[in-house]
Amino acid sequence: MKQGNFTTWFKSGSPWVWMNAGAVAIAVIMTLGLLLLIAVRGLSHFWPADVIEAEYTIPGQPTITLIGEVTTREQVPTERLHGAGLPVDPEKTEFMDRELLKVGNRDLYGADFRWIVADWLENERAPEDIVVIERREWGNFYGYLLQVKQAGQVIAEGDQAWTALQPAVDRALGIYDEIHALETGAIGKINAELERIRLRERGYELDNALTDDRKAQLEAERKVQNDLYAELEANLIDLYREFNRDSIRVRAMDGREKDINLSAVVRVFQPNAMGPTAKVGHYFSKLWEFVSDEPREANTEGGVFPAIFGTVMMVLLMSIIVTPFGVLAAVYLREYARQGAVTRTIRIAVNNLAGVPSIVYGVFGLGFFIYLLGGNIDQLFFPESLPAPTLGTGGLLWASLTLALLTVPVVIVATEEGLTRIPRSLREGSLALGATKSETLWKVILPMSSPAMMTGLILAVARAAGEVAPLMLVGVVKLAPTLPLNGNYPYLHLDQKFMHLGFHIYDVGFQSPNVEAARPLVYATALLLVGVIAALNFAAVSIRNHLREKYKALEN
């Protein structure tokens, strides 16, 4: 390219266009790459991998039999293995292959995973009769099925054991669902009603108004609930007796035999005997369990439905709170406040609030909302519950308010921008036709600026849904006993602690005692959090686009 042509091309601004296009392309590639990495590492966890059996011989030690899934393969320096006390010679070879084997059976071996040197593994095979037993405690069991028992009596063994096992597992799972529904449904309602009776009685005592008639009435109500509970308890005892009836006898890789009650079993399968169709069905069954079930095993197994529910509920409440406050503040600053030094100072303060670290909002929420506001509300309206706090502790309400405070600057700025873009001629035309200023505001200005309000809400949701630091101080917990929305009065429990996908990722990834088992769930939960945020934003974007099309004619 000649010098003149290059100068003309450079002055035309084309280099900056290409530079911006390249930056956008790189950003898109990096984002897609990150999502692909998370998806591959998270979703592959649910695939039923083959289970190997092999002999493992460490030089100078007896040969042992290992059974498990190979989860990781890597090359490591021989010096590293030598430093770990393994009998290897760094002078013979520089690197050696090692594998991370998920051997399960934590109740027998103390750990789910074991690192092995691949060169010392011999006679590797994949027998079809190896069973994988997912348990509610102690993780997976890998081994061989020997017997199926009913009330302690052997009903099937050998080749017939597998045929008799699946109906017994399905029966136990059905009873478990009945027990869970009974405990969380009818018995949960009775416990909630008994607690309300206790609080009413305590309230009468504090007011010195517990008369004999009221005491008799409360006792009668309590007796009704206790009688209902006695009936349900008898039913529950029968269900537990049936639940604990069946068991199996299995053999681990070291030859030890163990009895496992089917009440502790979630799923039993033979991955080496499964065809492609069966594995696909198993895969989607595990995915559904992940998004619809409750967590177990210190959040390293089971599902994350309570965390999904808590995240969505908190975001919806935050949106309901932040939108009117942000819009009202923006309308006042743009339409009513006198434009001067004070207004400019307020705008600068609002912009600065958007840059305050989120943990600072968490500390403010803890001090103001929980200790000051919640504590005083407890003293005034819930004295019968003290010293146990009602609103003077972290909960869904204070978490939503804290995140509303964190995101209100975004809504204010976006709404102000939308109000600024409305032509002055529309305002003047409305006033000239006889409309008052308030009528102009409600019927012309706010409807036309609604797309900008939705833009602010989209930005607020995108930021709030992924926040973790402030929530750790104002209401999120590792495991919530019940959902904040259930069938017990008052149905929506704003004072209740809740689970959150972001905190779940932190807890599983950094607080779990079983790091290797937790790592795939960190990726899967992160992908799910991205999906939840994308779904919420997609809904908001759809509403915004609808409003934009609706009022486009007025703008033109």
Side-chain angles (χ1 to χ4, degrees):
M1 183 182 294
K2 295 183 179 180
Q3 183 67 29
N5 293 337
F6 177 80
T7 304
T8 303
W9 176 74
F10 187 83
K11 289 182 177 180
S12 69
S14 296
W16 310 115
V17 174
W18 282 101
M19 185 181 296
N20 289 332
V24 171
I26 292 172
V28 171
I29 292 172
M30 292 176 65
T31 302
L32 293 178
L34 176 62
L35 291 177
L36 182 62
L37 172 67
I38 294 174
V40 169
R41 295 203 172 185
L43 298 180
S44 62
H45 168 68
F46 304 105
W47 185 259
D50 288 342
V51 178
I52 67 166
E53 181 180 22
E55 278 67 49
Y56 185 61
T57 306
I58 300 177
Q61 297 184 18
T63 299
I64 61 174
T65 300
L66 294 180
I67 296 177
E69 299 177 29
V70 177
T71 60
T72 303
R73 293 182 175 89
E74 63 180 18
Q75 273 195 336
V76 294
T78 311
E79 284 285 354
R80 183 176 172 184
L81 298 176
H82 182 72
L86 294 176
V88 297
D89 189 357
E91 297 182 356
K92 290 185 177 180
T93 178
E94 186 178 357
F95 292 95
M96 295 185 72
D97 294 330
R98 72 170 184 172
E99 298 175 344
L100 181 62
L101 197 67
K102 184 177 181 180
V103 296
N105 307 8
R106 190 166 69 248
D107 48 337
L108 298 180
Y109 313 138
D112 290 285
F113 293 83
R114 177 171 181 172
W115 283 105
I116 60 173
V117 178
D119 294 342
W120 299 342
L121 206 62
E122 299 175 347
N123 193 21
E124 186 174 322
R125 54 202 180 273
E128 292 188 354
D129 55 343
I130 288 181
V131 296
V132 178
I133 304 172
E134 292 184 23
R135 300 180 288 181
R136 303 188 193 280
E137 296 180 351
W138 301 110
N140 289 357
F141 183 93
Y142 297 90
Y144 291 94
L145 176 65
L146 302 178
Q147 299 172 340
V148 178
K149 299 180 180 180
Q150 187 178 102
Q153 302 297 318
V154 177
I155 63 170
E157 59 183 340
D159 296 336
Q160 289 76 35
W162 177 253
T163 304
L165 175 59
Q166 199 58 53
V169 172
D170 293 339
R171 173 186 173 276
L173 292 176
I175 297 175
Y176 174 81
D177 292 337
E178 291 184 42
I179 292 174
H180 185 265
L182 190 61
E183 290 179 338
T184 59
I187 292 179
K189 288 183 179 179
I190 290 174
N191 290 333
E193 185 61 33
L194 288 172
E195 178 63 13
R196 282 196 293 272
I197 293 172
R198 185 191 71 82
L199 293 177
R200 284 167 55 197
E201 184 177 32
R202 175 61 178 162
Y204 289 144
E205 290 176 352
L206 292 176
D207 295 336
N208 294 321
L210 186 60
T211 62
D212 291 339
D213 291 341
R214 284 176 173 170
K215 185 181 294 185
Q217 180 184 357
L218 292 172
E219 286 299 327
E221 294 177 7
R222 188 178 286 114
K223 184 178 183 306
V224 170
Q225 298 301 322
N226 286 331
D227 290 343
L228 290 174
Y229 180 79
E231 295 177 6
L232 294 175
E233 186 181 30
N235 188 18
L236 196 62
I237 291 173
D238 292 339
L239 286 173
Y240 269 111
R241 185 183 300 112
E242 292 296 313
F243 190 42
N244 294 315
R245 189 193 71 177
D246 299 336
S247 63
I248 55 176
R249 190 162 188 82
V250 292
R251 186 179 73 245
M253 63 187 185
D254 58 359
R256 278 187 284 179
E257 296 184 1
K258 177 182 176 63
D259 285 334
I260 299 177
N261 199 293
L262 292 187
S263 61
V265 173
V266 177
R267 188 182 285 105
V268 180
F269 58 100
Q270 293 178 324
N272 298 342
M274 296 170 67
T277 303
K279 288 197 172 188
V280 170
H282 179 96
Y283 178 76
F284 284 104
S285 173
K286 288 283 291 181
L287 274 181
W288 175 247
E289 178 190 59
F290 179 65
V291 299
S292 64
D293 207 352
E294 298 177 353
R296 61 178 188 271
E297 285 282 345
N299 290 346
T300 60
E301 296 288 347
V304 293
F305 177 74
I308 299 172
F309 190 92
T311 302
V312 174
M313 180 64 69
M314 182 206 66
V315 170
L316 291 178
L317 284 176
M318 181 275 301
S319 302
I320 293 172
I321 295 170
V322 73
T323 302
F325 281 99
V327 170
L328 288 175
V331 167
Y332 176 77
L333 289 174
R334 177 56 56 183
E335 301 294 330
Y336 289 97
R338 179 177 297 177
Q339 304 303 310
V342 175
T343 308
R344 288 195 297 271
T345 303
I346 293 174
R347 287 197 177 94
I348 292 173
V350 168
N351 291 328
N352 288 337
L353 281 175
V356 174
S358 59
I359 189 65
V360 176
Y361 287 98
V363 173
F364 176 83
L366 178 66
F368 179 76
F369 289 134
I370 296 177
Y371 291 156
L372 180 62
L373 195 57
N376 287 327
I377 290 175
D378 282 353
Q379 293 287 345
L380 292 173
F381 299 104
F382 305 103
E384 65 275 5
S385 298
L386 296 175
T390 301
L391 291 175
T393 185
L396 181 61
L397 174 62
W398 303 137
S400 301
L401 281 172
T402 301
L403 290 188
L405 191 65
L406 184 149
T407 55
V408 72
V410 177
V411 179
I412 293 175
V413 171
T415 304
E416 266 209 274
E417 290 296 325
L419 293 171
T420 303
R421 288 197 299 268
I422 297 176
R424 185 175 182 83
S425 59
L426 287 177
R427 293 179 172 85
E428 294 173 347
S430 176
L431 295 173
L433 291 172
T436 64
K437 188 169 184 177
S438 61
E439 290 174 338
T440 301
L441 176 67
W442 285 104
K443 295 183 179 181
V444 178
I445 297 175
L446 287 182
M448 292 187 62
S449 60
S450 55
M453 299 177 197
M454 292 305 302
T455 299
L457 183 60
I458 291 168
L459 297 174
V461 168
R463 182 176 182 188
E467 285 291 348
V468 177
L471 298 180
M472 295 169 65
L473 301 176
V474 292
V476 74
V477 290
K478 176 187 178 74
L479 184 64
T482 59
L483 297 177
L485 181 67
N486 54 41
N488 299 327
Y489 181 83
Y491 312 117
L492 178 59
H493 304 273
L494 296 177
D495 60 316
Q496 188 170 302
K497 291 180 171 60
F498 65 101
M499 295 180 67
H500 185 271
L501 284 172
F503 181 78
H504 190 80
I505 294 171
Y506 163 77
D507 176 71
V508 171
F510 299 98
Q511 302 296 313
S512 174
N514 198 351
V515 178
E516 298 297 341
R519 185 176 292 118
L521 290 181
V522 172
Y523 290 106
T525 309
L527 181 65
L528 186 59
L529 178 58
V530 172
V532 169
I533 295 174
L536 291 170
N537 283 341
F538 179 78
V541 168
S542 298
I543 297 173
R544 182 190 64 183
N545 292 342
H546 172 72
L547 294 172
R548 183 173 291 166
E549 291 295 327
K550 182 178 180 180
Y551 297 109
K552 182 181 291 184
L554 290 177
E555 292 180 0
N556 295 333

